[in-house]
Amino acid sequence: MEGAEAGEQEWAAVAQDLLALGYEGCPGAASPGTSCPDFRALCARLAAELATLGALEREREEGTEALSAGDGPGAEEEFLRQLAGLLWDLQCPDRELCGGDCAASLREPDARLRLLRFLCSEVQAARLLRLRSRLDPNPEPSCGEGAEAGSGMVQELILTLQALGLPRPTRGTPACQLLRDLHAKISELLPSLPPESLQPLLNHPLDAPRWEALASLSQSLRDQYGCRRCLLLKRLDLTTSAFHWSDRAEAQGEAMKAVLIPIREALTSESDISIAHVLAARADLSRLVPATSKTARRGTCCAINKVLMGSVPDRGGRPNELEAPMPSWQSRREDGGGRKAGRQCWGRKKKKK
């Protein structure tokens, strides 16, 4: 009885999250799962919003749906096939949903609950990212102390307050008071999260020597990847400059510069990854799936992989098959009308008769 009540409470929490996102009609634990058209329609609506917000990595053809609910005899099989690719695009950390028999897993109410919860969290994150892109690049500082440290930190603070549902603080609010309010709100919301969620990737306590070692390692990686980024940016500059050598580019030179210069100026060799990103990383970030695995190929295979290249002409270019030219001396020509020194020429040396 206690387990059934806990399951009903979890379904009620998911239904509340869906209502907060503007979705109604949560199927509930008694739903038959993927064979239920309402369940497939709800997942398809969530996937459609994710595609609209740009949260899917794979480029989809114009007019195709990210997840099709369907209503025909093969609708459930098509839904499961597209769902596997969708979860791969979103890098779902749930191994039961991404690997193995997804259809068998979704027959259980707990698996369907985890699927809806994951899609809801992805929609919430995609909406926040879209909101972040629409923010004023120079927002008004929300607190008095240290507000002039940079607009980037202020933007992150505004997004945190909006995600937690806290009001924007007035000017002059001490930073310590703002941090206490954030801590209190987060402590209030943590018990409502599912168990084993938001597990940190770095779960070992750090003392002073470890902090110093971590800072040194972070700086070494920043220097190394900064050098690599400089190399890639130099290659990019050389590649783009080569497009200006053609005769056709002379007429389109200004238009090309108008497109390339803003993009190039936004690319710098400095990395914005810091120790704070390591501390904020979740445990599912370390989940690596080989690109050649069956699970990955299920979402990336396409018709172009079956096209075989025909025979191509031999372009040569093998130095070991070429005979190096040897210098030789030719004798002085007598019909030159004067005494000339022998000259050096390249070619094969004639044999003496």
Side-chain angles (χ1 to χ4, degrees):
M1 294 296 293
E2 294 180 357
E5 293 179 359
E8 292 179 358
Q9 292 178 0
E10 291 181 356
W11 276 99
V14 171
Q16 186 176 2
D17 292 342
L18 289 170
L19 287 175
L21 293 173
Y23 294 91
E24 298 180 357
C26 182
S31 170
T34 56
S35 60
C36 176
D38 294 337
F39 180 81
R40 297 199 304 267
L42 177 60
C43 295
R45 291 171 58 193
L46 292 170
E49 182 174 357
L50 289 173
T52 304
L53 296 174
L56 301 181
E57 295 182 358
R58 288 191 303 172
E59 296 182 358
R60 304 191 179 275
E61 297 179 359
E62 186 177 359
T64 59
E65 297 177 342
L67 194 61
S68 175
D71 201 13
E76 183 178 359
E77 289 75 8
E78 180 66 17
F79 173 81
L80 291 173
R81 187 188 66 81
Q82 293 179 350
L83 180 62
L86 176 67
L87 295 178
W88 168 253
D89 284 351
L90 298 174
Q91 299 181 1
C92 177
D94 196 320
R95 296 181 181 273
E96 293 184 5
L97 295 178
C98 294
D101 193 354
C102 182
S105 301
L106 291 176
R107 295 192 185 100
E108 300 295 330
D110 183 61
R112 298 196 295 272
L113 177 68
R114 297 197 308 271
L115 174 61
L116 290 177
R117 183 182 292 140
F118 172 73
L119 293 178
C120 288
S121 64
E122 290 296 320
V123 170
Q124 291 173 351
R127 288 184 180 182
L128 286 176
L129 291 176
R130 175 61 64 88
L131 178 64
R132 178 180 182 179
S133 62
R134 294 179 179 178
L135 285 177
D136 185 5
N138 297 314
E140 182 182 357
S142 58
C143 56
E145 275 187 83
E148 294 80 8
S151 60
M153 183 178 63
V154 176
Q155 288 183 8
E156 296 291 341
L157 180 59
I158 293 175
L159 288 174
T160 304
L161 295 174
Q162 292 177 348
L164 295 176
L166 294 176
R168 187 168 180 171
T170 59
R171 184 181 296 274
T173 302
C176 58
Q177 178 63 35
L178 183 59
L179 293 176
R180 281 196 295 265
D181 295 341
L182 291 174
H183 183 270
K185 186 64 176 180
I186 293 174
S187 301
E188 178 186 350
L189 295 176
L190 280 178
S192 62
L193 295 176
E196 298 182 359
S197 62
L198 298 180
Q199 292 293 328
L201 181 62
L202 182 63
N203 54 12
H204 196 281
L206 299 177
D207 51 10
R210 288 190 176 93
W211 275 109
E212 294 179 359
L214 185 61
S216 176
L217 178 61
S218 175
Q219 186 60 40
S220 299
L221 291 176
R222 286 173 64 91
D223 296 341
Q224 181 182 10
Y225 282 98
C227 181
R228 296 184 182 185
R229 289 168 69 96
C230 288
L231 176 60
L232 293 176
L233 290 176
K234 188 62 176 178
R235 289 181 176 178
L236 176 62
D237 295 337
L238 295 176
T239 303
T240 54
S241 64
F243 286 99
H244 295 273
W245 295 347
S246 63
D247 298 335
R248 185 181 178 185
E250 294 181 359
Q252 303 292 335
E254 297 300 329
M256 295 170 62
K257 291 180 180 179
V259 175
L260 292 175
I261 290 179
I263 300 176
R264 177 61 183 88
E265 290 179 349
L267 301 176
T268 61
S269 60
E270 297 293 332
S271 175
D272 56 351
I273 304 299
S274 62
I275 300 180
H277 292 82
V278 179
L279 300 178
R282 298 186 301 177
D284 56 3
L285 187 63
S286 60
R287 178 174 175 265
L288 302 177
V289 179
T292 56
S293 64
K294 293 183 179 180
T295 306
R297 292 296 298 159
R298 191 182 308 165
T300 58
C301 61
C302 58
I304 195 65
N305 299 134
K306 300 180 181 179
V307 178
L308 299 179
M309 295 181 60
S311 59
V312 295
D314 186 8
R315 300 178 61 186
R318 293 177 290 273
N320 58 335
E321 297 181 1
L322 300 177
E323 183 178 356
M326 298 298 293
S328 62
W329 291 89
Q330 290 183 352
S331 59
R332 290 175 291 181
R333 294 182 299 178
E334 297 180 354
D335 57 349
R339 188 174 184 180
K340 297 182 180 179
R343 58 177 180 175
Q344 184 180 7
C345 64
W346 297 91
R348 295 181 180 273
K349 188 174 182 180
K350 297 182 180 180
K351 296 182 180 180
K352 294 183 179 180
K353 295 184 180 179

